[in-house]
Amino acid sequence: TSSGVFLLQMGWGDLGAFGEPSKETPNLDQMAAEGMLFLDFYTASPLCSPSRAALLTGRLPVRNGFYTTNGHARNAYTPQDIVGGIPDSELLLPELLKKAGYTNKIIGKWHLGHRPQFHPLRHGFDEWFGSPNCHFGPYNSTERPNIPVYRDWEMAGRYYEDFKIDLKTGEANLTQLYLQEALDFISKQQASQQPFFLYWAIDATHAPVYASKQFLGTSQRGLYGDAVREIDDSVGKILKHLQQLGISENTFVFFTSDNGAALISAPKQGGSNGPFLCGKQTTFEGGMREPAIAWWPGHIPAGGVSHQLGSVMDLFSTSLSLAGLQPPSDRQIDGIDLLPVILQGKLIDRPIFYYRGNELMAVRAGLYKAHYWTWSNSWEEHSKGIDFCPGQSVAGVTTHTQEEHTYLPLLFHLGRDPGEKYPLSFASEEYQQAVEHISGLVQQHKATLVPGQPQLNVCDQAVMNWAPPGCEKLGKCLKAPESDPKKCSWPH
Amino acid sequence: TSSGVFLLQMGWGDLGAFGEPSKETPNLDQMAAEGMLFLDFYTASPLCSPSRAALLTGRLPVRNGFYTTNGHARNAYTPQDIVGGIPDSELLLPELLKKAGYTNKIIGKWHLGHRPQFHPLRHGFDEWFGSPNCHFGPYNSTERPNIPVYRDWEMAGRYYEDFKIDLKTGEANLTQLYLQEALDFISKQQASQQPFFLYWAIDATHAPVYASKQFLGTSQRGLYGDAVREIDDSVGKILKHLQQLGISENTFVFFTSDNGAALISAPKQGGSNGPFLCGKQTTFEGGMREPAIAWWPGHIPAGGVSHQLGSVMDLFSTSLSLAGLQPPSDRQIDGIDLLPVILQGKLIDRPIFYYRGNELMAVRAGLYKAHYWTWSNSWEEHSKGIDFCPGQSVAGVTTHTQEEHTYLPLLFHLGRDPGEKYPLSFASEEYQQAVEHISGLVQQHKATLVPGQPQLNVCDQAVMNWAPPGCEKLGKCLKAPESDPKKCSWPH
């Protein structure tokens, strides 16, 4: 059975099936109607790089090294001056799937490090079309090079130069390129009758948000909605392609997101986290609860709904299971195999851990969520207009100082209070029972936790994408400045 | 064609089909899947009595008299000391439907006045089972009588005495009684082959929230969710009954709410307004945008979705149209006939007016909403813990003083910004065009507006439900105190 994962930055509330009021995602809604909707599904970090590393390793960022210790409880990712990346010691899903004869392709944003040793084709992927970093820019080529777009081992050009993004109009045809790549890859695999793993890691809904010309202005929701519509349309085309090739019953497809909608980019470039608190960068529900749909015609009963606490890391274990493989036994794997959930409607008891850096901020078990630390961002950042919770303010919860609650966690019942507005009374029996249970889980978790070497501590302008492989052929090599390694600055 | 309307207090975000994360409304979701979902549907007031008066008259509360002038922009309703009620001069939907041979029944909360001249059987209904007021209580029978439950012309008992509501456990079997009434009425009408209008105006999700024993503890959402589940189950049973009797293709059914979820009662007794701002009592989207589903098998294409700006007042005109009747031509009717929308997918250009008392607070046209006045509630009330926007605070928008914006309205684009968090720049061309258009609509509206005599100004303890008709037979008559008419106090 082949696997496909669609990963992008989108909020829980961005799909019609999840209550977005414009209801402009007919293909994703159809995917949900034909498959299974996960309503309690989480990413592994409120930020993209660590989440993507967690998806591909089945392990929390604190284990696989995708975190920083430069400050307490800071979110970190892989800008182009990052020195670190995915360690060789980590086993990635495509590396393991190779053993079962899979061909593996990543389309879109890799984000696990852009230096040569971190190249996705060194970590199990057979093909790549996309970029190592976010599509920020344009840069001036002297202080900072534009981000390269790779075709397999070598660069095929750079954003803003060879792959246009018009920041004024929001026009870029990248999603169409990524769609065509996906369709071609699937056709090729079907023709060769080889199982495949396709990781469609697109980023049109990540600022700077973009859409192709034919989608611009077609949404009620502005440019962000145009991007969502194009992604929705593309997903529909990919699923239809699988059906037309007659391989949909042999292909497990999962749609989800690497972090909650970036409310800081709203309203023009930010999505919706529905009824949840705050967004990207935070360990409130809006930052980490994600839309999620499993689709596998002939196997998953249509119209299914699951309240299984799920995680992007489960896609690691589930994909291995589909390939008849076991997860590695020499290390802690945080993902679980969701097939019993998806195929037999089982509910597996497991907690969800919410991290910021290497700090365990919160834990969900059942319908309870305990916050051990609360923080949105600093007053200093907030006073500059950086707001991860625009229009939302819950006293003692969306704090602008890091508040420790280790000895008396803030407890929420997410069924009665999905918006995390009403902490339970510390004196209540309900509080005491729930916290006792969660404390046990935390103890167990911490006792066995072996943090990986932090990869996101050091930045150096010399490691930027000055001269990616293949630049000579394109005349796109730039001169790197001298090495000047520094502690990366992670303000939140 | 018969008509049924389900009306209750529930928020936009309380249904699975509208993105409630627990997704516990399978019957309502099924109703939507078989019918048409309205995503931009509004009530006529952020409070129950005026909304219900508007539904039955097809007219804004400011026209039909269901408002107060005791203070500026105050919400008012019909507590049991209210002197006013629905004026005889108003023509109610059931009065008109009688001309087409309909039998009309109201089950549940009437709320258009409880004095004899306001009795629903004097205003077109043929049958009634339910109460004239909210089920607040219990009262002590000396300062305040318990609310009566009527069977047609006479009382059948009182809440908390003969119709139990256990405030400790939340147990009450009222929804089951109301369900059985509906099923029996439908059976009777089917047997007699008479068209009918059934107004199922239940209130289990109105504080004090209640559910029957078999639903208590069955929801992830606590007691409120239990009540929602029971209502969902009941709706499913009513629709199934119509199908089993073979009359579903002759019966138009509409589900909606009279105001947004009362966030002030959250988390135990309050629902969800999804991604919208604030709740009941306010003219933000959370106060007036409502879940809405039209169902009519064989006529409405399954799975329809409409962005028609709709109103509870449209149910007046639509029901008349279904009966082959014209709305009265001697008065202004605010409702429109939704049949072209429902049957032919048309979109009718019309504004939505948001009133508080007799003040036009805001207007929606297309995707734009202009606020002429903003107010949540007073600082004085807010300091007592009365909060209509818990956890939400948008500077200059969710104000605690009444802020006038008549000359420079606050403008929101509800597609890009459904949460009303980002007012458009006054200087933008988009602002100027939209406001010019909306100003024209306001001028037109105000030019033809003839306010009705305000019914909700005077309160008198002598008019309470001391001795409702039929009380003698039950030994339930209480002695009324002396008349002492006063201005009613409406704090928000």
Side-chain angles (χ1 to χ4, degrees):
Chain A
T1 302
S2 299
S3 306
V5 171
F6 300 154
L7 192 75
L8 62 155
Q9 167 165 311
M10 210 183 254
W12 194 94
D14 273 329
L15 275 61
F18 287 79
E20 200 291 311
S22 301
K23 212 171 170 63
E24 292 178 332
T25 55
N27 295 289
L28 287 164
D29 296 357
Q30 178 72 16
M31 181 182 178
E34 294 172 7
M36 179 174 272
L37 205 58
F38 282 82
L39 295 164
D40 299 76
F41 199 87
Y42 291 87
T43 186
S45 163
L47 213 63
C48 42
S49 295
S51 290
R52 288 166 186 240
L55 186 155
L56 290 174
T57 60
R59 285 150 59 79
L60 283 165
V62 68
R63 297 191 213 273
N64 66 34
F66 264 68
Y67 69 99
T68 182
T69 52
N70 287 0
H72 179 248
R74 302 300 167 105
N75 295 318
Y77 71 107
T78 53
Q80 63 169 328
D81 56 350
I82 199 85
V83 170
I86 191 73
D88 274 340
S89 55
E90 290 298 317
L91 283 171
L92 270 62
L93 176 60
E95 288 182 79
L96 296 165
L97 289 175
K98 276 199 172 198
K99 295 180 196 160
Y102 277 58
T103 306
N104 307 303
K105 177 157 193 162
I106 167 172
I107 298 171
K109 185 169 74 166
W110 164 241
H111 232 198
L112 304 196
H114 57 283
R115 298 173 66 207
Q117 64 268 41
F118 307 127
H119 193 289
L121 271 59
R122 283 197 195 275
H123 291 269
F125 282 103
D126 300 292
E127 302 180 21
W128 181 23
F129 182 74
S131 63
N133 311 88
C134 287
H135 56 284
F136 296 129
Y139 299 120
N140 62 4
S141 298
T142 53
E143 282 169 23
R144 195 172 280 265
N146 277 320
I147 303 297
V149 174
Y150 280 73
R151 156 82 58 206
D152 301 329
W153 287 106
E154 299 191 343
M155 75 182 282
R158 292 186 191 268
Y159 282 134
Y160 301 95
E161 300 171 15
D162 316 286
F163 296 89
K164 303 286 184 212
I165 301 170
D166 186 328
L167 293 183
K168 265 197 191 147
T169 63
E171 183 181 342
N173 70 342
L174 297 167
T175 301
Q176 292 304 310
L177 295 184
Y178 294 150
L179 167 61
Q180 198 54 52
E181 283 289 319
L183 299 176
D184 291 349
F185 174 71
I186 292 166
S187 297
K188 189 186 69 169
Q189 290 308 118
Q190 188 266 344
S192 68
Q193 298 197 301
Q194 293 292 308
F196 65 86
F197 169 60
L198 171 61
Y199 177 41
W200 202 61
I202 54 168
D203 60 358
T205 46
H206 190 295
V209 171
Y210 61 79
S212 298
K213 193 164 188 182
Q214 69 262 40
F215 287 93
L216 286 179
T218 62
S219 164
Q220 289 192 2
R221 306 178 65 200
L223 180 57
Y224 184 89
D226 297 343
V228 170
R229 288 205 58 193
E230 184 168 14
I231 289 166
D232 175 74
D233 183 76
S234 300
V235 170
K237 284 182 172 140
I238 292 172
L239 298 185
K240 198 172 168 198
H241 192 58
L242 290 170
Q243 287 173 318
Q244 284 171 342
L245 293 176
I247 56 172
S248 62
E249 299 205 356
N250 306 321
T251 311
F252 175 85
V253 184
F254 204 92
F255 174 93
T256 191
S257 180
D258 57 350
N259 47 242
L263 301 185
I264 195 175
S265 307
K268 288 215 172 153
Q269 311 225 349
S272 166
N273 297 315
F276 297 123
L277 189 62
C278 303
K280 181 176 175 177
Q281 302 275 7
T282 77
T283 47
F284 301 110
E285 292 299 284
M288 292 185 57
R289 190 140 154 187
E290 307 301 336
I293 305 170
W295 185 88
W296 192 14
H299 301 270
I300 302 179
V305 171
S306 180
H307 284 291
Q308 173 65 42
L309 302 198
S311 163
V312 290
M313 298 181 289
D314 301 344
L315 302 177
F316 176 88
S317 304
T318 306
S319 299
L320 289 180
S321 175
L322 286 163
L325 298 172
Q326 292 294 320
S329 56
D330 64 340
R331 64 196 67 202
Q332 185 73 40
I333 300 293
D334 296 289
I336 61 172
D337 178 3
L338 290 178
L339 290 185
V341 174
I342 291 169
L343 301 180
Q344 294 140 45
K346 292 207 173 149
L347 279 177
I348 299 165
D349 189 24
R350 69 95 72 91
I352 295 292
F353 297 106
Y354 304 68
Y355 271 89
R356 207 155 155 167
N358 60 347
E359 186 59 80
L360 181 63
M361 304 287 286
V363 178
R364 176 174 175 182
L367 286 166
Y368 293 102
K369 180 174 176 184
H371 287 270
Y372 292 91
W373 285 87
T374 51
W375 196 36
S376 57
N377 65 351
S378 67
W379 281 117
E380 193 193 343
E381 291 256 297
H382 191 254
S383 69
K384 290 183 218 155
I386 297 172
D387 190 350
F388 300 144
C389 316
Q392 298 178 314
S393 172
V394 183
V397 179
T398 57
T399 58
H400 290 290
T401 47
Q402 295 189 349
E403 297 291 331
E404 184 169 6
H405 309 276
T406 307
Y407 299 103
L408 212 55
L410 283 186
L411 187 74
F412 295 96
H413 185 282
L414 295 180
R416 300 193 299 264
D417 177 23
E420 295 168 283
K421 292 193 175 84
Y422 306 95
L424 267 72
S425 161
F426 298 132
S428 68
E429 203 180 319
E430 185 182 7
Y431 177 89
Q432 290 171 10
Q433 284 183 359
V435 167
E436 192 179 352
H437 174 62
I438 294 179
S439 296
L441 298 171
V442 170
Q443 262 187 332
Q444 208 178 322
H445 173 66
K446 292 202 165 168
T448 60
L449 182 69
V450 183
Q453 193 69 27
Q455 295 294 315
L456 309 180
N457 281 350
V458 184
C459 287
D460 185 348
Q461 56 178 15
V463 306
M464 295 200 285
N465 296 288
W466 301 105
C471 68
E472 326 77 34
K473 296 183 196 159
L474 301 172
K476 290 260 172 195
C477 302
L478 298 169
K479 191 174 154 14
E482 280 199 19
S483 174
D484 180 21
K486 289 178 181 165
K487 265 188 158 183
C488 309
S489 160
W490 302 118
H492 35 251
Chain B
T1 303
S2 299
S3 306
V5 171
F6 299 154
L7 191 76
L8 61 156
Q9 166 164 313
M10 210 185 254
W12 194 93
D14 273 329
L15 275 62
F18 287 80
E20 199 290 312
S22 301
K23 211 169 172 61
E24 292 179 331
T25 54
N27 295 288
L28 288 163
D29 296 357
Q30 178 72 15
M31 181 183 179
E34 293 171 7
M36 179 172 272
L37 206 58
F38 281 82
L39 294 164
D40 300 75
F41 199 87
Y42 291 87
T43 186
S45 163
L47 213 62
C48 40
S49 295
S51 290
R52 288 166 186 239
L55 186 155
L56 290 173
T57 61
R59 285 151 58 80
L60 283 166
V62 69
R63 296 192 213 274
N64 66 34
F66 264 67
Y67 69 99
T68 182
T69 53
N70 287 0
H72 178 250
R74 302 302 167 105
N75 295 318
Y77 70 108
T78 53
Q80 63 169 327
D81 57 350
I82 199 82
V83 170
I86 191 72
D88 274 340
S89 54
E90 289 297 317
L91 283 171
L92 270 62
L93 175 59
E95 288 181 77
L96 296 164
L97 289 175
K98 277 200 172 198
K99 295 180 196 159
Y102 278 57
T103 307
N104 307 302
K105 177 158 192 162
I106 167 173
I107 298 171
K109 184 169 73 166
W110 164 241
H111 232 198
L112 302 196
H114 58 282
R115 297 174 66 207
Q117 63 267 42
F118 306 127
H119 193 288
L121 272 57
R122 282 198 196 274
H123 291 269
F125 282 103
D126 300 293
E127 304 180 20
W128 181 23
F129 181 74
S131 63
N133 311 88
C134 288
H135 56 285
F136 296 129
Y139 299 120
N140 63 4
S141 299
T142 53
E143 281 169 24
R144 194 171 281 265
N146 277 320
I147 303 296
V149 174
Y150 279 73
R151 156 80 59 203
D152 302 328
W153 287 106
E154 298 190 347
M155 76 182 282
R158 292 186 191 267
Y159 282 135
Y160 301 94
E161 299 171 16
D162 315 287
F163 297 89
K164 302 288 185 212
I165 301 171
D166 185 328
L167 293 183
K168 265 197 190 146
T169 63
E171 183 180 342
N173 70 342
L174 298 166
T175 301
Q176 292 304 311
L177 295 182
Y178 295 149
L179 167 62
Q180 199 53 51
E181 283 288 319
L183 298 177
D184 291 348
F185 175 70
I186 292 166
S187 296
K188 188 186 70 170
Q189 290 309 117
Q190 188 266 345
S192 69
Q193 298 197 303
Q194 292 293 308
F196 64 86
F197 169 59
L198 171 60
Y199 177 40
W200 202 60
I202 55 168
D203 60 359
T205 47
H206 191 295
V209 171
Y210 61 79
S212 298
K213 192 164 190 182
Q214 70 262 38
F215 287 93
L216 286 178
T218 62
S219 163
Q220 289 192 2
R221 305 178 67 200
L223 180 58
Y224 184 88
D226 297 342
V228 170
R229 289 205 58 193
E230 184 168 13
I231 288 165
D232 175 74
D233 183 78
S234 300
V235 170
K237 284 182 173 140
I238 292 171
L239 298 185
K240 199 172 167 196
H241 193 60
L242 290 170
Q243 286 173 317
Q244 284 172 340
L245 292 176
I247 55 174
S248 60
E249 300 205 354
N250 306 323
T251 311
F252 174 85
V253 185
F254 205 92
F255 175 92
T256 191
S257 180
D258 56 351
N259 47 243
L263 301 185
I264 196 176
S265 308
K268 287 215 173 151
Q269 312 225 348
S272 167
N273 297 315
F276 298 123
L277 189 62
C278 302
K280 180 174 175 178
Q281 301 276 6
T282 77
T283 48
F284 301 110
E285 292 298 283
M288 291 185 57
R289 191 139 153 188
E290 306 302 335
I293 305 170
W295 186 87
W296 191 15
H299 301 270
I300 302 178
V305 171
S306 179
H307 285 292
Q308 172 65 42
L309 302 197
S311 163
V312 290
M313 298 180 290
D314 301 344
L315 301 177
F316 175 89
S317 303
T318 306
S319 299
L320 288 179
S321 175
L322 285 164
L325 298 172
Q326 293 292 322
S329 56
D330 63 341
R331 63 196 69 201
Q332 186 74 40
I333 300 292
D334 297 287
I336 61 173
D337 178 3
L338 290 178
L339 289 185
V341 174
I342 291 170
L343 301 180
Q344 295 139 45
K346 294 209 171 148
L347 279 177
I348 300 165
D349 190 22
R350 68 93 74 92
I352 295 291
F353 297 106
Y354 304 68
Y355 271 90
R356 207 156 155 168
N358 60 346
E359 185 58 81
L360 181 62
M361 304 285 289
V363 178
R364 176 174 176 183
L367 286 166
Y368 294 101
K369 180 174 176 183
H371 287 269
Y372 293 90
W373 286 87
T374 51
W375 196 36
S376 56
N377 64 352
S378 68
W379 281 118
E380 193 194 342
E381 290 255 298
H382 192 253
S383 69
K384 290 184 217 155
I386 296 170
D387 190 350
F388 300 144
C389 316
Q392 297 178 315
S393 172
V394 183
V397 179
T398 55
T399 57
H400 291 288
T401 47
Q402 295 190 349
E403 297 290 332
E404 184 169 6
H405 310 275
T406 308
Y407 298 102
L408 211 56
L410 282 188
L411 187 73
F412 295 96
H413 185 283
L414 295 180
R416 301 193 299 264
D417 178 23
E420 294 168 283
K421 292 193 174 80
Y422 307 95
L424 268 73
S425 161
F426 298 132
S428 67
E429 203 181 319
E430 185 182 8
Y431 177 91
Q432 289 170 10
Q433 284 182 359
V435 166
E436 193 179 351
H437 174 62
I438 294 179
S439 295
L441 298 172
V442 170
Q443 262 186 332
Q444 208 177 323
H445 173 65
K446 291 200 167 170
T448 60
L449 182 68
V450 183
Q453 193 69 26
Q455 294 295 316
L456 309 181
N457 280 352
V458 184
C459 288
D460 185 348
Q461 54 180 15
V463 306
M464 295 201 282
N465 295 288
W466 301 105
C471 68
E472 326 77 35
K473 295 182 197 161
L474 301 172
K476 291 257 170 197
C477 302
L478 298 169
K479 191 174 156 11
E482 279 200 20
S483 175
D484 179 20
K486 288 177 183 167
K487 266 187 159 184
C488 309
S489 160
W490 303 117
H492 36 252

